[in-house]
Amino acid sequence: MALVQGGLRRLALLAGGVQSLAAEAGRVGAYALRTFGTPPGLRGLVLESAWLAAHVALYPIGLASEKIHQHDVYRTDDLPPAQRSLVVGDIEAAGTPVLLVHGIMDNRSVFTVFRRALRRRGFGVVHAINYSLLTGDLRSAAHELRAHVERLRAETGADKVHIVGHSLGGMIARYYVQRLGGSESVDTLVTMGSPHAGSNMAYLMPTPLARQLRPGSDVLAELDEPAPGCTTRFVVVWSRMDEMVVPQRNARLSHPDLRIDELELRDVGHLALPVDSRTVHWVATVLARPIHDQHFRRRHRHITRVPDTLRAGASPAS
């Protein structure tokens, strides 16, 4: 009798597990239908697919290292109107170097469109770096990033730089800024689709680096610790259609000691974030703001939402 009861309990547990799995699958299916079954969702899917194909073609080019190219931002006679406007409006903003850091299993080619857009808007030095595909520790990568920043500052003579990080690149840069004293050298850190609270997708990759990107990891716990002396401005771009940061709301950044500006999108995939026109325009606008007094402003969170791209509540990110 006891054996029969034990078997029934196991069957009940199994049935409950199957029911939960089915419910979750139904939830994911409904989300996918709500997301991709709308014109904005289909646009996002097409953009993600198109950029994936283009990025695969550009990937070999991005494997080579890039030299630092300086432009004379103090002369405006040979600049187009958009660049001339930034240089005349705020020569310090135009002259602050921008360092681009790619994501996991990627290279600097992911910033092909983004880098060109910043240069066309008047930013004098926009430099993309590669780090090893075999990187197995976020902390070590942050130490390497510190060396890149110091080299960029030395070669350009700049006191501070901006960093733009896509996916893992944003997390590496955040660790450098918060835990390695990088706020003294980094004026603004932009993250695009970075899993600030971890991603459940990291459970699919059995590597030490992936374990650091899981919710509740020791690295993420370090980043949640107080950072009262951090003066860097954080600019966070995240999308409710991000297929790599799950749940999508984990790409948001919340920390009581940090000054955060946030752009919320609803119809852009993970890979397409750096090529989305709204992302490019918003980030370029933020980086072009006067930076002289920003460290004396009170800490705050400012959220910019792109309106009416998908129906509210369409994503588990909400």
Side-chain angles (χ1 to χ4, degrees), residues 18-80:
V18 171
Q19 186 177 7
S20 299
L21 184 62
E24 183 64 22
R27 182 171 178 268
V28 171
Y31 161 62
L33 181 62
R34 290 194 300 268
T35 300
F36 302 116
T38 63
L42 289 174
R43 168 197 173 275
L45 184 60
V46 170
L47 177 62
E48 182 81 348
S49 301
W51 177 236
L52 175 60
H55 187 42
V56 169
L58 292 169
Y59 192 90
I61 300 175
L63 291 173
S65 298
E66 180 182 70
K67 294 182 179 181
I68 296 175
H69 297 286
Q70 297 192 59
H71 300 275
D72 187 357
V73 297
Y74 299 99
R75 294 186 59 86
T76 62
D77 49 309
D78 60 345
L79 296 178

Side-chain angles (χ1 to χ4, degrees), residues 209-236:
L209 180 60
R211 286 195 288 270
Q212 294 178 340
L213 299 177
R214 295 171 183 173
S217 73
D218 56 344
V219 170
L220 297 184
E222 279 190 66
L223 292 174
D224 285 338
E225 293 178 4
C230 185
T231 56
T232 296
R233 169 178 55 174
F234 286 78
V235 176
V236 176

Side-chain angles (χ1 to χ4, degrees), residues 128-150:
I129 62 171
N130 285 337
Y131 57 85
S132 174
L133 295 177
L134 302 178
T135 296
D137 180 67
L138 190 147
R139 298 181 183 92
S140 298
H143 281 279
E144 293 181 17
L145 177 60
R146 177 168 59 183
H148 283 293
V149 170
E150 293 308 311

Side-chain angles (χ1 to χ4, degrees), residues 100-107 110-111 131 138 163-175 189-199 201 205 209 213 220 223 235-238 242-246 250-251 269-274:
L100 309 177
V101 188
H102 62 79
I104 193 169
M105 299 300 294
D106 211 336
N107 63 36
V110 74
F111 290 113
Y131 57 85
L138 190 147
I163 297 180
V164 178
H166 178 238
S167 193
L168 173 62
M171 299 305 296
I172 293 172
R174 183 185 168 194
Y175 192 92
L189 169 57
V190 180
T191 69
M192 302 179 186
S194 298
H196 291 290
S199 173
M201 292 296 289
M205 298 179 287
L209 180 60
L213 299 177
L220 297 184
L223 292 174
V235 176
V236 176
V237 181
W238 71 287
D242 194 318
E243 70 277 14
M244 295 303 295
V245 181
V246 180
N250 283 10
H270 183 78
L271 191 62
L273 281 169

Side-chain angles (χ1 to χ4, degrees), residues 246-289:
V246 180
Q248 288 81 11
R249 62 177 176 270
N250 283 10
R252 304 180 72 181
L253 175 57
S254 178
H255 195 294
D257 294 328
L258 303 180
R259 177 174 181 251
I260 303 166
D261 291 313
E262 178 181 307
L263 174 65
E264 174 189 330
L265 300 169
R266 292 175 178 264
D267 57 351
V268 184
H270 183 78
L271 191 62
L273 281 169
V275 300
D276 180 78
S277 60
R278 296 160 298 180
T279 299
V280 173
H281 173 75
W282 189 72
V283 171
T285 301
V286 170
L287 293 183
R289 289 175 185 169

